[in-house]
Amino acid sequence: MKKLCLCILLWAALMLGGCSTGDNQVTQEETQWDKIPMVMVDGNLYYDTGKESTGTEDNETADGEITSTVDGSETPTENDQSNFGEGFAYRRIADGTLEIFMNEKWIVFEHRTGTGSQVRFGDRWVDRDGLSEETLDWLAWFNSLSEEEQLSVSAVPPDLLEESGISGTEDAEATSN
């Protein structure tokens, strides 16, 4: 319990006092957040799932190519446009799913609704709209850490736990042998 209290106090001290340097402090309104990698194909937005395709390794079959790009903080508005670059081949796999050939592998993208205004938390994407300014600042700090340093963090803002679905787990029933 003492460790948890100490971690919470440390986190609060960092949030309140400071990682800012006076006049160089950047307010949230001035910060442009990158959106989840996405592409528009056939008028639909497809979002990066972070997963590699487990299907065929056929690198020759493609239905199209990403021909234009917008900034990473923007949402594509035209067909065959992404917010992560151009020149990538894509293929339609199933309803609501595309694969995009990047870095010598096919990456799965899925169609879903939303604004694409999401931020990364570990291996998840979380809607930015449901998070407080303090949590967004904490996420910027957290995402700047190495993976090893991220694993040592023991306190996470409560609204981030709710938005990411981590707090939605239930205790398993005990079974007797």
Side-chain angles (χ1 to χ4, degrees), residues 13-124:
L14 286 172
M15 292 284 85
L16 293 175
C19 301
S20 68
T21 57
D23 293 334
N24 293 332
Q25 182 176 3
V26 176
T27 64
Q28 169 134 5
E29 293 80 27
E30 296 170 343
T31 303
Q32 284 287 338
W33 296 89
D34 280 350
K35 294 183 182 273
I36 185 172
M38 66 183 94
V39 61
M40 181 174 278
V41 174
D42 299 329
N44 295 313
L45 287 173
Y46 293 83
Y47 297 82
D48 185 1
T49 64
K51 298 177 184 171
E52 187 175 342
S53 173
T54 57
T56 178
E57 296 301 320
D58 177 14
N59 296 338
E60 300 299 319
T61 305
D63 296 320
E65 182 178 312
I66 299 171
T67 57
S68 66
T69 188
V70 295
D71 186 73
S73 64
E74 298 178 35
T75 300
T77 58
E78 301 173 7
N79 282 324
D80 300 333
Q81 184 177 65
S82 80
N83 65 350
F84 56 85
E86 58 187 66
F88 301 104
Y90 66 82
R91 60 185 178 194
R92 294 170 185 86
I93 298 304
D95 285 339
T97 306
L98 286 179
E99 292 179 349
I100 299 179
F101 194 66
M102 303 167 59
N103 300 322
E104 301 301 315
K105 53 190 165 193
W106 290 99
I107 305 298
V108 179
F109 280 64
E110 67 183 5
H111 171 65
R112 59 182 182 207
T113 59
T115 65
S117 183
Q118 297 179 320
V119 290
R120 186 176 289 277
F121 173 53
D123 63 348
R124 300 170 184 248

